[in-house]
Each structure stands twice: as structure tokens, then as C-alpha cells.
Amino acid sequence: IGDSYTQGYTSEGMIVGYNLWYVQVCRKAHLKYTAASYGGVGFVKESDGRTFSTLLDDGKGKDAKYVVIAGGYNDMAYSYDTIKNKVYETVKKAQRLYPDAKILVGMTGDATSDRSRFKNVIQAYKDGTKEAGGFYITNSEYALKENKNYFASDGYHPNVKGHHAIGETIGGY
């Protein structure tokens, strides 16, 4: 479950196939996947009536071993409590929809400048996930490391190297 990062959007065009971070993770772990993503959404941030919570419904009825929810940039404008509560609600919903799955949350949002603005989001993702009984992907917030080589020309969306870095971080968890 994710936002434009998971969707593969870049200012240069879409990243597809084996270059997407979640495809790399699943291939490495020999897992099948169902992906649901929509640009501009988050746990709180809504776009066209979608959030991470509504995207969970796309895989309903599937036998999931893992549910990975990754994002962060789009939730940046909201308060700690608002984000934490929505993370909690979404993780709980994932647990109901996929009772046998391990629910993992990662904060992968980044940019080539001013990383400090993500502090609130990172802490809310960690705390909401933990309180709901999910698993926060340790160090997911450092996958892109503000490394300009990992971003498309817009400075916000990961390029192929950035997707590889996210895949290595999440896949290593």
C-alpha cells in the first residue's frame, strides 16, 4: 500500500516492473504481491476519496503473509496526534482484513532538502504502528538519505536508484 513512490511516479516518467521497490523486495523473498497505490495519499491525506485505509480494500479476500504500508511525504502537513490516530486505525483495519498477515509500516517520504520537517511524521508512524500492534520498519525513514542521486529531477520522487535503496531497506527488514 502506498503513494506515488509505490506507484512509480517520477517527473521523468513512470518506473515500472522490476525497478519498483516492492517488486524487488518480493522477488528477493520469493513472494507474490498485490499492490495498491495512489499518488498524493497517505494515512491522513486524502486524494479522490482514497487514503491508505481505503487502498487496503483492494486486496480484500487475498491470503496475505505481509501487508506493507509505505509513505510519509503526503502526511507532513498534519499534526502528530492526527497522523498517529490514522496510522493506528489503518493498522487495526489491516489486521482485521488480513488476520494472518504481519502488518508493517515504513516512512519512506523524503526530499533532497529540509529533512527536519519529517520528524513529526516519523514519530507518529512509529507510535501509531506500535500502539496498534503492527511493526515499524526500522530505519525506513533513512532509505533515501537525502541523496540527490536517488531522486528524479523534481527532488521529491525516487528514481530507479532510489527505488533500489527503498527496496534494500524494506527488504532487509
Side-chain angles (χ1 to χ4, degrees):
I1 305 294
D3 54 17
S4 58
Y5 282 30
T6 301
Q7 203 172 28
Y9 174 83
T10 75
S11 48
E12 282 77 40
M14 298 299 284
I15 294 173
V16 297
Y18 300 130
N19 289 319
L20 291 162
W21 70 262
Y22 63 89
V23 176
Q24 294 170 27
V25 169
C26 291
R27 288 192 69 198
K28 189 175 181 179
H30 306 289
L31 297 169
K32 293 180 183 176
Y33 63 88
T34 298
S37 58
Y38 199 81
V41 303
F43 283 101
V44 182
K45 177 72 166 66
E46 186 178 312
S47 181
D48 296 328
R50 293 176 177 93
T51 63
F52 289 160
S53 179
T54 66
L55 291 174
L56 284 169
D57 295 328
D58 290 357
K60 198 167 23 181
K62 302 228 181 205
D63 184 27
K65 187 173 182 177
Y66 302 97
V67 174
V68 178
I69 307 170
Y73 193 91
N74 299 319
D75 286 329
M76 194 171 38
Y78 299 94
S79 73
Y80 166 84
D81 286 333
T82 300
I83 299 167
K84 183 185 79 126
N85 291 337
K86 285 295 185 183
V87 170
Y88 178 90
E89 291 171 15
T90 304
V91 170
K92 285 297 191 186
K93 179 179 179 179
Q95 291 166 337
R96 285 190 306 277
L97 290 174
Y98 311 101
D100 297 326
K102 183 176 184 177
I103 312 301
L104 301 122
V105 172
M107 205 308 277
T108 54
D110 207 342
T112 55
S113 63
D114 195 13
R115 176 164 243 295
S116 65
R117 58 192 166 160
F118 295 108
K119 187 177 182 182
N120 196 42
V121 178
I122 294 165
Q123 197 59 52
Y125 276 29
K126 288 179 178 181
D127 293 346
T129 301
K130 182 179 179 183
E131 286 180 24
F135 299 88
Y136 182 78
I137 301 169
T138 306
N139 294 323
S140 56
E141 65 270 24
Y142 300 114
L144 297 174
K145 305 171 191 136
E146 291 182 73
N147 184 331
K148 292 181 184 191
N149 293 322
Y150 289 168
F151 288 90
S153 62
D154 65 7
Y156 299 104
H157 294 93
N159 59 21
V160 171
K161 289 178 184 177
H163 272 265
H164 181 74
I166 293 170
E168 286 296 310
T169 300
I170 292 178
Y173 186 79

